[in-house]
Amino acid sequence: MADAYRRLRDMVGAEVLGLIGFLIVVVIAFSLATPRFLTSENFGSIAFQLPELGLLTLAMLIPILSGGLNLAITYTANFCGLTLAWVLQVNGGVDAGVGAFILGCAAALAVGAATGLIMGLVIAYVGAHPILVSLAMMIFIRGLGEFLTRGGDISGFPSFIQPIGHGSVLGIPIPLLVFLAAAVVWYVMLGRTRHGFSTYMLGSNIEATRYSGIPTKRTLTLIYTLSGLMCAIAGIIMVARFNSVRVGHGDAYLLITVLACFLGGVDPFGGFGRVVPVVLALVILQVLSSGLNLIGANQHLSTAVWGLFLIAVMVIRFGWQRLSLGRQ
């Protein structure tokens, strides 16, 4: 039995096994607390709510792996959603056609990529700190978005985009399929491509990476461009899910994306982290949120629990590192 466990641990990783075990404990606890937890309605709700947070977490993941941070992910997603909404409104609003929607998606993706590109260029070629650059971009996008919309919502879109946010294929929600496809792309990119290797190297030691011949500036620029592109995909999904868009939607997502990365074993200083544990961490956080909601807990309690989780993860990781060093 012990040998089988060791083989399984070596195959999938100790972090993945630990997260799966914790997820099982959480599911059992909430299933005992309320009979409504183990229902198809609840799991369907989780499957529809997870993707937008998951896409934003993927957008946060690669900057953290490179030793940086992107604080502008939620406002970038919302601004890309505003871009799509503007194109649809210009072309008839609820009467806009498929061509207008495709044009709007292309414009949203371009805006997201351009936002990330600007941040990446400033970080790579000016040498400014990623936190300061992304914070400045967040403030700029928020101010510009509120100026253009006067702080209000934009709604009234064609009915054919609603299945993108609410439809299913073979019982699997379309937003979840989009997120899983994006996660697979990130998994392959980080684990099988030169860019993924360069991303990890940047997070480990940027000076050593530069001396090894890796184009660090180009890699950093591409990292933030891809982060902005993923934000745009999240913004499109949010427009389809809520049939409206505003600048300040999902402010709390920023904290949760960072928490999901750290809970998934990503080193906050960069250089280490994998996609699969981060996806499992996202599922755990979403299950926690759903379970707390079903037992009647206040919504703000979920935020407090997530904050406690972040503290607990840091304490456990510190203790594990000390224990590992003591064994050597």
Side-chain angles (χ1 to χ4, degrees), residues 86-115:
W86 178 78
V87 173
L88 291 174
Q89 291 291 325
V90 168
N91 288 276
V94 294
D95 299 321
V98 176
F101 175 69
I102 295 174
L103 178 62
C105 289
L109 292 172
V111 168
T115 300

Side-chain angles (χ1 to χ4, degrees), residues 60-233:
M60 179 65 79
L61 174 60
I62 50 175
I64 292 180
L65 288 177
S66 70
L69 202 65
N70 185 358
L71 297 177
I73 55 169
T74 55
Y75 287 103
T76 301
N78 290 327
F79 197 78
C80 293
L82 287 175
T83 302
L84 169 59
W86 178 78
V87 173
L88 291 174
Q89 291 291 325
V90 168
N91 288 276
V94 294
D95 299 321
V98 176
F101 175 69
I102 295 174
L103 178 62
C105 289
L109 292 172
V111 168
T115 300
L117 175 63
I118 293 170
M119 286 190 292
L121 289 173
V122 174
I123 293 168
Y125 290 91
V126 177
H129 198 283
I131 292 179
L132 296 177
V133 175
S134 60
L135 179 62
M137 181 60 73
M138 179 187 74
I139 296 171
F140 168 72
I141 293 175
R142 178 178 181 177
L144 181 60
E146 289 181 344
F147 169 75
L148 295 174
T149 62
R150 293 179 172 82
D153 297 1
I154 297 179
S155 58
F157 306 127
S159 58
F160 65 80
I161 73 170
Q162 294 182 9
I164 298 175
H166 300 277
S168 301
V169 175
L170 300 177
I172 304 175
I174 292 177
L176 184 60
L177 291 174
V178 174
F179 166 62
L180 292 176
V184 170
V185 171
W186 250 226
Y187 175 83
V188 173
M189 179 190 70
L190 290 172
R192 306 293 177 86
T193 68
R194 179 178 295 181
H195 174 70
F197 175 75
S198 300
T199 300
Y200 285 113
M201 288 291 291
L202 279 174
S204 298
N205 190 321
I206 189 171
E207 292 301 324
T209 304
R210 182 180 293 112
Y211 286 123
S212 68
I214 293 176
T216 56
K217 294 181 179 179
R218 187 173 66 187
T219 301
L220 272 173
T221 303
L222 183 56
I223 285 171
Y224 284 89
T225 302
L226 291 173
S227 178
L229 196 62
M230 189 61 73
C231 290
I233 298 174

Side-chain angles (χ1 to χ4, degrees), residues 5 8 12-29 280 284:
Y5 171 77
L8 182 62
V12 301
E15 288 182 348
V16 172
L17 283 180
L19 289 169
I20 292 175
F22 184 70
L23 177 60
I24 292 173
V25 171
V26 171
V27 170
I28 292 174
L280 284 173
I284 291 172

Side-chain angles (χ1 to χ4, degrees), residues 279-320:
V279 172
L280 284 173
L282 280 167
V283 174
I284 291 172
L285 292 175
Q286 193 62 61
V287 168
L288 273 172
S289 177
S290 178
L292 290 171
N293 182 57
L294 288 175
I295 63 176
N298 188 284
Q299 182 180 2
H300 299 293
L301 180 61
S302 298
T303 305
V305 170
W306 286 329
L308 287 175
F309 248 77
L310 181 56
I311 296 173
V313 167
M314 289 188 291
V315 171
I316 292 172
R317 183 172 295 173
F318 175 77
W320 181 262

